[in-house]
Amino acid sequence: MSFKPTAPYHCAQEALRVLETVSGHPAGITAAELARRTGLGPGRLTGLLRMLRREGYVQEIADGAYVTGETLRRLGSAHDRERTLRDRLQRNLDRLRDSVGAAVYLSRYVDGEVRVTQYAAGPATPAVNEWVDFRCSAHATAVGKSLLTQLDANARRDHLSRHKMARLTSRTITSDKLLLSRLEAQPPSAPVLDLQEYAVGTVCAAVPVTAGATVGCLALSLPVRDAHRLKRAADTLNRNAAPVLLSLAI
């Protein structure tokens, strides 16, 4: 897998370090002690603790100490884990939708196929009309291209050998050589774009959210009349991806 760490990935890794330290102190641990044990600066730690409290992973008790929160305890239960994870991810997607002003999607590459596992849309932020199955159109979508960039060269070729690169619009890339070249050149920290390659009238962007062995991405879609907002919205999506990454990593 060719994935390279991005800023949200580092943020999630730091948050996991904080959670592991808090989990090792069931009676509670202060922020000062957390900073000493994790090596994180006060400013950085404050931001991470704010996020972890908001997500329910830690809670503050007497004397400013922190213990694990209800969300983490529920994720540790085999009975509640799947529902808790799905609910937590949906809340994050809803929050992202409102932050970027666009429909937002969580996708994963599972068993050699592209799967949109959850999304958040609304009357003012409609979802993309899936007029061609996303599993068959990775070459044309921001979601598909983002997932493919995180695979190694052989896995990319394997995927394209199983799915014909159909021309969906006049902008669709149908040359596997050209597509593979662009995927190889894609900077890991830059959003992958779909500028009316999947559907006329729609533009999309996607950023990686890979946790462990699971290849995933967050994406957004906008009507082409709002294309001028795409880069800013994608940057906002990327900056705020850490809670999603954290949920997937725990």
Side-chain angles (χ1 to χ4, degrees):
M1 190 169 62
S2 60
F3 172 70
K4 296 179 182 178
T6 58
Y9 176 86
H10 287 303
C11 180
Q13 289 297 104
E14 290 172 342
L16 281 172
R17 198 191 320 164
V18 172
L19 274 179
E20 289 170 0
T21 306
V22 172
S23 297
H25 294 76
I29 182 172
T30 65
E33 183 64 10
L34 271 171
R36 189 182 72 80
R37 289 179 175 269
T38 61
L40 296 167
R44 184 62 177 157
L45 181 60
T46 296
L48 289 169
L49 285 171
R50 186 183 304 118
M51 179 186 74
L52 291 170
R53 289 177 63 188
R54 185 189 69 213
E55 300 294 320
Y57 292 121
V58 302
Q59 64 184 77
E60 190 173 5
I61 58 173
D63 301 323
Y66 292 89
V67 296
T68 55
E70 180 62 24
T71 297
L72 192 62
R73 289 192 287 272
R74 290 177 62 190
L75 283 172
S77 164
H79 176 71
D80 288 338
R81 178 174 172 76
E82 289 303 318
R83 184 177 62 184
T84 300
L85 177 59
R86 188 169 185 84
D87 289 348
R88 173 55 48 192
L89 288 170
Q90 193 60 51
R91 288 193 197 96
N92 287 326
L93 294 178
D94 291 345
R95 189 183 299 128
L96 285 169
R97 174 200 59 203
D98 296 340
S99 296
V100 302
V104 175
Y105 313 79
L106 176 62
S107 302
R108 302 188 196 183
Y109 196 74
V110 181
D111 296 330
E113 300 295 347
V114 172
R115 296 186 183 178
V116 176
T117 54
Q118 285 178 252
Y119 71 94
T125 53
V128 172
N129 174 34
E130 189 180 353
W131 75 284
V132 176
D133 193 322
F134 290 141
R135 291 174 298 178
C136 304
S137 53
H139 65 292
T141 65
V143 161
K145 289 186 288 183
S146 178
L147 294 174
L148 290 175
T149 61
Q150 298 174 62
L151 305 179
D152 62 32
N154 289 334
R156 292 172 191 166
R157 293 192 187 94
D158 173 72
H159 183 93
L160 296 179
S161 73
R162 291 183 286 106
H163 296 286
K164 177 178 171 57
M165 294 175 60
R167 185 174 298 281
L168 307 183
T169 77
S170 63
R171 294 173 177 264
T172 306
I173 296 174
T174 56
S175 163
D176 56 351
K177 183 177 180 180
L178 176 58
L179 180 64
L180 289 170
S181 174
R182 292 193 178 180
L183 293 177
E184 185 63 32
Q186 173 69 27
S189 59
V192 179
L193 304 180
D194 158 18
L195 303 177
Q196 301 189 85
E197 296 168 54
Y198 174 76
V200 174
T202 301
V203 294
C204 305
V207 296
V209 286
T210 294
T214 302
V215 171
C217 73
L218 276 172
L220 64 88
S221 64
L222 288 167
V224 71
R225 66 175 179 273
D226 292 332
H228 62 282
R229 293 205 295 114
L230 186 62
K231 184 180 185 303
R232 185 172 70 250
D235 288 343
T236 301
L237 187 72
N238 196 28
R239 284 197 309 272
N240 292 280
V244 174
L245 260 169
L246 186 59
S247 295
L248 295 173
I250 290 176

